Amino acid sequence: MLALEVGGQQLSSMAALLRRSRSLLGKWKGHVVSVQVSRSMASKTQVGFIGLGNMGNPMAKNLIKHGYPVIASDVFPESCKELQELGAQILDTPADVADKADRIITMLPSSPNVIDVYTGPNGILKKVKKGSLLIDSSTIDPAVSKEMAIAAEKMGAVFMDAPVSGGVGAATSGKLTFMVGGAEEEFTAAKELLSCMGANVVYCGQVGTGQAAKICNNMLLAIGMIGTAETMNLGIRLGLDPKLLAKILNMSSGRCWSSDTYNPVPGVMEGVPSANNYQGGFATTLMTKDLGLAQNTATNTKTPVILGSVAHQLYRMMCARGYANKDFSSVFQFLREEEGQ
């Protein structure tokens, strides 16, 4: 790990150095020398990755494919095996990762998980280096993102929220959409890494705005999935072939992502959770969590979200009926079972 002295302060690595200064001024034999440093010099330094679940695993793999040495950690050791076989270094705790890498990406299930991974007894901030770039791609409460940013700043690090859209398929193919919140001057550094995992990297504003965009997107996604499931179910009951109905919808004004890319009806599409007994994908419990975040923010901002509220209640019912770990498109199966078929 390269360490340099700049203005009396040690910077832990070239990556940290490049984030803190784009032009270094030094004196040599009484002359002032301007040294322009290219970020490409740090482009292949180690990257930490914490959280190797359905989304985090393929995201970390794409970093490795792009030539980044990855240092990873997960609360479930078995989740690390695939990545280790690809050459990743596996460490026990987030603090251990922070001790080795000054660019870290986290992909975690919920706000409490993020708080623990960053500020817990074995958290990132226990050993974070000054100048480190911390990117959280979890979907959490925007207020928590702001709290983590403040805590990171106190340790001399930079925190950005960068939740994703696109699901496991896009995570695997490297075509995610990242919604990034944080200091604008740090966006280029974040984009360098995120572009290895996504086709779209969008700057949304200050810390928390990435989460705001993601929450809005997922509320619409849930509403759209329920509408698609209800529509397909009605058409089937009216005697329409589900593949034919999906084809008609997808060439008509009712077309949406849930109908043409992630259809909830088994047998209509290959390579989606509905073709695999709703295994994999985006769990109902996680969609329910995201809808809860939408409800909280809607309450705080006094925003009416009538369909969002109905969607939240429906997905909560599904969790209570045994659908928690199935993909959220299993709402179609839930509706069919509710009608006794």
Side-chain angles (χ1 to χ4, degrees):
M1 185 70 72
L2 178 63
L4 299 176
E5 284 288 325
V6 179
Q9 184 175 15
Q10 189 180 71
L11 300 181
S12 59
S13 73
M14 181 61 78
L17 171 60
L18 295 176
R19 275 189 295 281
R20 292 173 69 92
S21 177
R22 289 176 176 80
S23 178
L24 302 180
L25 294 177
K27 289 188 177 180
W28 178 68
K29 292 185 179 180
H31 298 284
V32 176
V33 181
S34 177
V35 184
Q36 296 295 330
V37 183
S38 168
R39 182 171 292 282
S40 63
M41 292 170 63
S43 63
K44 301 305 179 185
T45 56
Q46 293 173 321
V47 177
F49 204 106
I50 299 167
L52 301 173
N54 288 341
M55 295 293 290
N57 186 289
M59 288 168 67
K61 285 180 180 177
N62 279 323
L63 285 172
I64 293 174
K65 287 178 184 177
H66 280 80
Y68 289 93
V70 169
I71 302 174
S73 181
D74 192 277
V75 68
F76 299 109
E78 61 272 18
S79 300
C80 303
K81 290 180 181 178
E82 275 189 86
L83 219 59
Q84 190 170 27
E85 290 171 358
L86 292 174
Q89 182 181 355
I90 306 302
L91 299 179
D92 292 334
T93 69
D96 293 334
V97 173
D99 190 45
K100 298 287 186 181
D102 54 37
R103 294 187 291 179
I104 301 172
I105 298 168
T106 52
M107 187 57 157
L108 305 161
S110 66
S111 295
N113 298 119
V114 170
I115 292 170
D116 183 59
V117 163
Y118 278 89
T119 65
N122 294 308
I124 291 169
L125 298 184
K126 290 296 181 182
K127 293 187 178 181
V128 71
K129 296 176 172 65
K130 288 185 177 180
S132 291
L133 178 62
L134 312 175
I135 304 172
D136 181 40
S137 288
S138 317
T139 300
I140 60 172
D141 191 322
V144 173
S145 291
K146 293 175 183 178
E147 290 173 13
M148 296 303 100
I150 292 171
E153 186 177 13
K154 290 178 180 178
M155 302 303 294
V158 174
F159 176 95
M160 304 185 82
D161 59 305
V164 304
S165 179
V168 174
T172 302
S173 62
K175 295 182 179 179
L176 291 167
T177 291
F178 287 89
M179 293 151 271
V180 185
E184 189 169 6
E185 60 269 23
E186 302 293 342
F187 177 62
T188 300
K191 188 175 182 179
E192 177 193 337
L193 293 177
L194 301 181
S195 294
C196 297
M197 302 175 284
N200 303 294
V201 183
V202 183
Y203 180 69
C204 299
Q206 293 304 302
V207 172
T209 56
Q211 297 295 348
K214 174 61 186 291
I215 290 169
C216 290
N217 178 79
N218 274 22
M219 183 174 73
L220 179 59
L221 175 60
I223 293 169
M225 180 57 76
I226 293 169
T228 300
E230 289 184 345
T231 296
M232 294 296 295
N233 190 36
L234 176 61
I236 292 168
R237 285 176 64 91
L238 291 172
L240 288 168
D241 176 77
K243 285 189 176 181
L244 175 63
L245 177 56
K247 180 179 179 181
I248 293 169
L249 292 175
N250 293 334
M251 61 174 63
S252 305
S253 56
R255 179 182 180 180
C256 65
W257 188 83
S258 295
S259 68
D260 71 0
T261 303
Y262 212 79
N263 199 285
V265 181
V268 170
M269 295 181 68
E270 294 297 323
V272 294
S274 62
N276 188 36
N277 194 31
Y278 302 103
Q279 299 303 306
F282 187 56
T284 295
T285 186
L286 293 178
M287 177 57 85
T288 304
K289 179 263 294 182
D290 290 357
L291 289 168
L293 293 174
Q295 292 300 293
N296 291 340
T297 54
T299 299
N300 293 337
T301 57
K302 297 181 173 59
T303 305
V305 286
I306 299 166
L307 294 181
S309 297
V310 173
H312 186 215
Q313 293 305 314
L314 178 53
Y315 277 106
R316 287 180 64 188
M317 285 176 60
M318 289 175 63
C319 287
R321 302 281 183 87
Y323 286 81
N325 294 321
K326 289 191 174 186
D327 181 75
F328 80 107
S329 62
S330 62
V331 63
F332 174 79
Q333 185 182 62
F334 176 75
L335 292 172
R336 298 280 285 183
E337 290 183 357
E338 285 296 295
E339 69 187 21
Q341 293 191 19

